[in-house]
Amino acid sequence: MITGESFLKEKLTHIMDGETPSREELAAILALPSPEYLYHTADLIRQEQCHDAVLLRGIIEISNVCNQSCHYCGLRKENKTLFRYRMTEEEIMDAAQKIQRADISTAVLQSGEDKTDAKRLCDLIRRIRTESDLFITLSLGERPAGDYLAFREAGADRYLLKHETASKQLFEILRPGSSYNSRREALRLFKELELETGTGCMVGLPGQTPEDLADDLLYMKALGADMIGIGPFIPHPETPLAHCPPGTTEMTLKMISLTRLLLPRANIPATTSLGVLDSTGRRKALQSGANVVMLDFTPENYRRHYDIYPGKTYVAREQDHTLRLLRQELEAMGRTIGRDRPRGEILKTSAKTASK
Ligand code: 5AD
Ligand code: SF4
């Protein structure tokens, strides 16, 4: 008889040999109890591919204005209890300088689906490029296709757009007014434009099955995502899903581990939502395949209004203090804070890839 453990060992060996498992096999792995072996294997692959260096990213939540109505998210336009803000260019530049001074190499500019003028964003990207050495990741939701090229030309390096769920049915229920296909087209376009491409999903959405999560993994693998953020769903009181149960730490960690096995070289953050759900979530994620930590550099007066899910604003509070604690936490785990390769080197490498 095949036991859970021998099934798991056999399947993981096949994945590590480069085979893509079927949807049914992945769903069966996700349903297995006692996932320690899975976490441990993903941790070994992470160590082989990324060594012990944890990469840091500084997030600036530049606007909490959003024109969408996602059923899970506190920024949805129907949430009239939320104070809405847009940071000024000077405020964003100050936050970017803080990221640079903290010796972090990437600034992530994040917002709801705000209709900010593309030219204003391009000016901002150029200014950050001129006045700092930061890499720039954008996480601004879906935009007209031409904007992505303009952002790339202005100097953006990466774009994060979570596919949220690979289930078309769930997507259409939970994101009314948003198109499943056009989101996937945008992600394909990022790859074509040679923007480093980030995507990801939520775990524990109401009605989500292990097969749906298996589809998430297969989709991210087929896309060849460069960055993958996987976090548990956390119910927000001012949304239609207020009374649904949250996702679990265990299922989120299983998804992170399988992602590391399927995409060994991807940058995988220990997501903030996992840290909110479980105070030891960050450490557990970093020991189950994750290699990135995101720190919030949004000014204090705006941060509490970027209220995607409850509890978010209470992690990663005061930067110097947070960084010191993080260093200690990483040291205790035998990890260090890593550095991205310098910009020039990355550009040379991608030019080589392009001419292949
Ligand atoms: N719980 C967890 N993550 C959420 N997000 C939005 N709402 C929630 C929630 N309730 C995530 C989505 C989205 C990003 C803005 O935050 O994945 O991409
Ligand atoms: Fe807006 Fe993104 Fe929240 Fe949807 S998930 S409501 S697009 S911020």
Side-chain angles (χ1 to χ4, degrees):
M1 199 184 88
I2 300 183
T3 63
E5 180 137 351
S6 62
F7 165 79
L8 181 63
K9 286 189 175 162
E10 187 191 319
K11 289 299 157 208
L12 298 194
T13 308
H14 289 164
I15 299 175
M16 286 186 290
D17 288 344
E19 271 178 41
T20 303
S22 69
R23 177 185 201 232
E24 291 66 33
E25 285 167 338
L26 284 170
I29 296 173
L30 287 168
L32 287 176
S34 311
E36 281 66 30
Y37 179 77
L38 172 60
Y39 301 160
H40 180 65
T41 310
D43 196 39
L44 291 179
I45 302 291
R46 186 272 311 153
Q47 189 174 35
E48 195 181 287
Q49 298 291 331
C50 320
H51 310 287
D52 284 323
V54 172
L55 301 176
L56 303 188
R57 274 85 179 87
I59 305 190
I60 314 173
E61 293 155 339
I62 62 173
S63 157
N64 71 350
V65 178
C66 186
N67 294 305
Q68 292 287 0
S69 306
C70 305
H71 283 195
Y72 42 81
C73 177
L75 301 195
R76 67 200 305 266
K77 67 171 185 265
E78 290 77 6
N79 182 5
K80 305 287 184 214
T81 65
L82 192 63
F83 167 82
R84 303 283 173 167
Y85 70 86
R86 289 192 178 103
M87 285 174 68
T88 65
E89 186 169 314
E90 289 315 313
E91 288 170 331
I92 298 169
M93 288 310 300
D94 280 353
Q97 295 300 353
K98 282 200 179 114
I99 295 173
Q100 168 122 338
R101 281 201 298 277
D103 207 20
I104 294 176
S105 53
T106 296
V108 182
L109 306 184
Q110 193 158 66
S111 73
E113 275 193 22
D114 193 359
K115 297 244 183 298
T116 316
D117 175 45
K119 182 174 171 307
R120 217 192 113 219
L121 288 166
C122 287
D123 290 345
L124 174 68
I125 294 165
R126 271 190 288 270
R127 192 162 164 207
I128 298 177
R129 287 291 302 262
T130 315
E131 296 179 25
S132 77
D133 300 320
L134 292 168
F135 289 98
I136 301 171
T137 300
L138 300 178
S139 175
L140 310 172
E142 266 183 84
R143 312 261 324 177
D147 289 2
Y148 304 129
L149 177 61
F151 297 154
R152 174 85 177 107
E153 284 176 344
D157 303 279
R158 311 174 180 139
Y159 207 104
L160 289 180
L161 184 73
K162 293 195 185 178
H163 70 279
E164 311 291 7
T165 171
S167 155
K168 191 161 194 278
Q169 195 191 0
L170 261 187
F171 186 101
E172 286 172 354
I173 295 171
L174 297 179
R175 297 183 56 94
S178 167
S179 153
Y180 179 84
N181 289 335
S182 84
R183 208 163 178 88
R184 289 179 167 224
E185 267 157 37
L187 283 159
R188 259 199 306 273
L189 181 58
F190 302 157
K191 288 299 264 183
E192 227 174 275
L193 293 174
E194 295 202 0
L195 278 159
E196 267 187 60
T197 301
T199 193
C201 60
M202 278 174 284
V203 174
L205 289 166
Q208 193 178 41
T209 63
E211 285 73 20
D212 293 334
L213 292 170
D215 286 341
D216 284 317
L217 293 166
L218 292 171
Y219 171 67
M220 297 186 291
K221 168 84 179 164
L223 176 69
D226 304 294
M227 305 172 280
I228 295 173
I230 297 173
F233 159 69
I234 299 175
H236 186 294
E238 298 294 334
T239 65
L241 304 185
H243 301 293
C244 295
T248 65
T249 302
E250 184 176 292
M251 191 54 93
T252 307
L253 292 174
K254 286 179 183 175
M255 285 291 287
I256 288 176
S257 293
L258 281 168
T259 301
R260 173 60 67 205
L261 294 181
L262 288 163
L263 290 132
R265 298 175 65 85
N267 279 325
I268 304 177
T271 42
T272 311
S273 53
L274 186 58
V276 169
L277 182 76
D278 177 340
S279 59
T280 58
R282 179 163 74 197
R283 182 173 53 76
K284 288 177 182 160
L286 290 172
Q287 291 173 333
S288 306
N291 69 317
V292 174
V293 169
M294 317 270 250
L295 291 174
D296 194 345
F297 281 76
T298 310
E300 197 65 47
N301 54 325
Y302 295 128
R303 195 179 299 173
R304 67 199 158 91
H305 302 299
Y306 207 83
D307 183 26
I308 300 178
Y309 45 78
K312 181 184 155 291
T313 41
Y314 301 103
V315 291
R317 268 193 102 94
E318 193 270 311
Q319 290 315 320
D320 291 344
H321 180 64
T322 315
L323 268 173
R324 238 191 343 267
L325 284 181
L326 180 64
R327 263 202 187 91
Q328 284 168 9
E329 185 186 333
L330 294 179
E331 252 168 50
M333 291 166 56
R335 308 282 276 276
T336 55
I337 291 182
R339 292 202 60 81
D340 281 307
R341 282 145 66 213
R343 213 177 237 292
E345 194 188 317
I346 300 251
L347 293 178
K348 259 189 267 152
T349 321
S350 65
K352 251 191 257 152
T353 324
S355 65
K356 258 190 211 160

